[in-house]
Every structure is written in structure tokens, then in C-alpha cells.
Amino acid sequence: MTSRIGIYPGTFDPITRGHADIIRRGSKLVDRLIIGVTTNPSKNPMFETDERFAMVEREVNAMGLTNVEVVGFNALLVKFAQKQGANVIIRGLRAVADFEYEYQMAGMNQQLDEEIETVFLMADVSLQPIASKLVKEIALYGGDISRFVSAEVEAEVLERVKLIGLKGDY
């Protein structure tokens, strides 16, 4: 029997409770789950890749999942999955807009390697509205992000906001 190796890729800028939910649930579907922390300059990251990597690694360690590891990558997702020996790509979905984009990406990935399956996990209903982009925006405008991220991530985001400076009329 072949080992099921899954990849859960993302920028995780920052890692949210929604990401943690997908990691926890995804880890039950595969023998080994690799969290791929990638670069994506088009997303205008708040944290550098190495900072996000450390953040994700700390959060995963706090979950106590023994079959999960964190790996950084800057490559085509399918190439990264092949290099890791993965046969599953796990993607989290929040809304219909996510599905349309992810459906297209899954189709393209299948064209590149039909041996790698994409599995979609719906975020827990209570976590569906959470998006890293919105967490950063709320923090930058002085809002409370404690419901969306762990206390450690919240502290890191707020420290970064201090460096960047608050925005808006608060």
C-alpha cells in the first residue's frame, strides 16, 4: 500500500484559525501532511517567508500533530508536490469565490500531473469568513483580531503593525 502524502500549500500571511482547522482535519486524511509555505509577492506579504515559516511551524507544533511537517518552497506547486512524493493536494474553501479559483487550479494541476489528486475541505462554518488578507487589514486599522488567530500570531501581527503604523482615522 502506497503511503498517502498530502501537501497543504499557502502563503500563511499570517496563519489563521481557519488554516489551523484545515491542517488539523487534513492531517487525518493522509499518512503525512506537508505544509508548504510559499512565496507570493503579488499578495503583498506583511511577513517575510522565513518569518511565516517559523510562525506556521510554531502553530503546527502547538497542535501536537505527529504526521505534519512544514517545508518552505518557491516553485510550481505540482513540481513541489512531485519532489515531496505527494499524491494529494489539500485546499481549504471558504466561499464560492474560493471554489471557482481552486477548481481552475485543480484542473490545471491535473493537466500537469494526473497522479496528484486535489481534495477540497470546507472550512468550519465558524471560521469561513476568516482570510489572512482581512486579518491584516483589521489589524492595520486598529481592530481586534484575537478571534481569528492564536495569541502568539496576534502578538506578532500587532508588533508588525507598530512598525508599519496604524492606518485610518481611529
Side-chain angles (χ1 to χ4, degrees):
M1 172 100 183
T2 304
S3 197
R4 290 170 305 178
I5 300 172
I7 300 283
Y8 177 38
T11 51
F12 305 102
D13 185 49
I15 184 170
T16 68
R17 293 187 192 281
H19 292 128
D21 176 57
I22 298 297
I23 292 168
R24 199 172 3 266
R25 292 173 41 226
S27 72
K28 295 175 188 174
L29 301 177
V30 294
D31 300 309
R32 183 170 152 236
L33 180 61
I34 300 163
I35 311 305
V37 180
T38 187
T39 58
N40 191 341
S42 69
K43 288 192 173 185
N44 194 23
M46 178 178 272
F47 296 95
E48 296 296 323
T49 305
D50 60 333
E51 294 172 311
R52 289 184 283 110
F53 181 91
M55 191 184 296
V56 172
E57 196 166 53
R58 184 193 63 237
E59 295 295 304
V60 166
N61 288 339
M63 287 187 243
L65 302 171
T66 58
N67 67 329
V68 178
E69 67 179 288
V70 181
V71 177
F73 78 102
N74 182 18
L76 189 63
L77 176 57
V78 168
K79 295 284 187 192
F80 175 67
Q82 291 167 337
K83 183 177 177 185
Q84 298 299 319
N87 43 21
V88 177
I89 295 171
I90 295 176
R91 300 298 295 160
L93 297 176
R94 293 180 307 250
V96 174
D98 283 351
F99 178 76
E100 290 177 11
Y101 172 77
E102 294 295 345
Y103 180 77
Q104 183 178 21
M105 290 300 297
M108 294 299 288
N109 288 337
Q110 184 181 37
Q111 293 292 315
L112 295 171
D113 188 332
E114 62 186 26
E115 298 300 314
I116 301 174
E117 290 292 336
T118 299
V119 174
F120 298 114
L121 291 179
M122 293 298 300
D124 182 275
V125 173
S126 66
L127 304 171
Q128 284 180 3
I130 302 172
S132 294
K133 179 181 177 180
L134 297 176
V135 168
K136 291 184 289 190
E137 188 173 325
I138 291 166
L140 284 166
Y141 282 88
D144 180 10
I145 61 169
S146 62
R147 290 174 288 179
F148 313 125
V149 296
S150 71
E152 293 83 4
V153 171
E154 178 187 20
E156 287 179 270
V157 171
L158 295 179
E159 187 62 35
R160 186 58 46 98
V161 168
K162 282 182 189 174
L163 293 172
I164 296 170
L166 282 172
K167 300 189 180 309
D169 301 325
Y170 45 90

